[in-house]
Amino acid sequence: MESEMYFVFMNYDPEYERLRADSRSKRGAYELDSYLSTKHDGLLAATLEPGTYKKTFSLVIVDGFAVEISEDQANALRSAKGVRVVEKNQELA
C-alpha cells in the first residue's frame, strides 16, 4: 500500500472556534493544541485500521491535520462524519 501526504480539513466546530479565540494565552494555546490532537487522533482511530497511517501534525490555524495514507484511506476519510475536505499534498514545482 503506497502512502502519500494528505491534508484533512474539518467542518465548522464551535468548540474549536471558542478555543481558538481563547488561544492568546499560553494555557489557551495548550488547550487548543490538546483538543485538536485528541479530536484528529480519534477520527483517524475510528475510521482507519491502526498502524496503517501516520499523522504528521495537527494544524491549529485551521481545524485540520496532515496524515500519510493511501488513496483508499483518503476516500474513507472523505465520508467520515465531521470531515469537510481531504486533499492530496501537491508538490510545488
Side-chain angles (χ1 to χ4, degrees):
M1 175 178 77
E2 189 178 322
S3 290
E4 296 189 72
M5 182 73 72
Y6 285 81
F7 290 100
V8 179
F9 299 100
M10 307 300 289
N11 285 331
Y12 175 78
D13 174 358
E15 181 65 6
Y16 162 73
E17 295 298 337
R18 185 187 69 75
L19 287 168
R20 195 174 76 148
D22 222 21
S23 68
R24 287 175 193 82
S25 72
K26 196 170 201 164
R27 180 169 171 262
Y30 173 80
E31 283 182 6
L32 178 60
D33 283 346
S34 179
Y35 173 75
L36 288 179
S37 189
T38 301
K39 175 181 169 178
H40 300 157
D41 290 350
L43 171 73
L44 288 166
T47 310
L48 306 177
E49 285 291 316
T52 63
Y53 59 88
K54 180 183 171 198
K55 187 178 97 176
T56 311
F57 53 85
S58 286
L59 301 161
V60 176
I61 198 79
V62 295
D63 183 358
F65 59 93
V67 62
E68 292 177 22
I69 51 174
S70 70
E71 191 172 337
D72 286 346
Q73 288 174 308
N75 289 331
L77 281 172
R78 282 184 181 101
S79 58
K81 185 178 190 296
V83 172
R84 183 169 48 94
V85 124
V86 178
E87 297 249 342
K88 189 192 271 190
N89 184 30
Q90 301 295 325
E91 293 295 324
L92 298 177

